[in-house]
Amino acid sequence: MSGDALDVDPDGLNQSGQNMADVAGRIKLIRDEYLDKLTSYRGCWGDGEFGEAFAKKYVPAEKDATDGLTGLYEGLNGSAQSQLDTSQNSRNLSENINTQLRHGR
């Protein structure tokens, strides 16, 4: 950034946004696979005294883990989309300015 001007690298923002979206997508796949595994094992500890004691500790921790992975995915995905939107908005603004300068407005 120089002086009062704001320099934006739309290509860099776009690439960064795409990279972040890729990471977010991978985290979503990991979360989905994790949830599938957890669902398949749910209740395998039985419903007796031991099973109930185990579930009291396990189920809240399972929810915390899945909520954390979901939050991580959503945060990364939102940041990726923000970068992609900013890249596109910057390109649009630049094109609009260039069009107006060419037409003497």
Side-chain angles (χ1 to χ4, degrees):
M1 196 157 74
S2 59
D4 292 334
L6 176 63
D7 295 327
V8 177
D9 176 8
D11 293 332
L13 273 173
N14 188 61
Q15 186 60 55
S16 177
Q18 288 177 3
N19 291 343
M20 196 173 290
D22 288 345
V23 171
R26 289 179 185 162
I27 290 190
K28 184 179 184 302
L29 285 173
I30 290 167
R31 185 208 58 189
D32 292 348
E33 288 178 16
Y34 178 66
L35 287 172
D36 285 346
K37 294 287 184 200
L38 289 176
T39 301
S40 71
Y41 295 130
R42 184 169 288 272
C44 70
W45 48 81
D47 58 0
E49 185 178 334
F50 172 78
E52 288 179 17
F54 181 83
K56 283 181 185 175
K57 296 286 186 178
Y58 176 81
V59 172
E62 173 191 317
K63 182 176 178 345
D64 290 345
T66 56
D67 288 351
L69 286 169
T70 299
L72 179 58
Y73 159 72
E74 290 173 350
L76 286 171
N77 195 53
S79 292
Q81 191 58 56
S82 178
Q83 287 185 19
L84 293 169
D85 291 347
T86 300
S87 171
Q88 188 59 51
N89 290 342
S90 175
R91 283 191 179 105
N92 292 344
L93 180 60
S94 181
E95 288 173 13
N96 288 341
I97 290 170
N98 288 331
T99 298
Q100 289 183 13
L101 288 174
R102 278 193 304 273
H103 296 324
R105 294 184 205 174

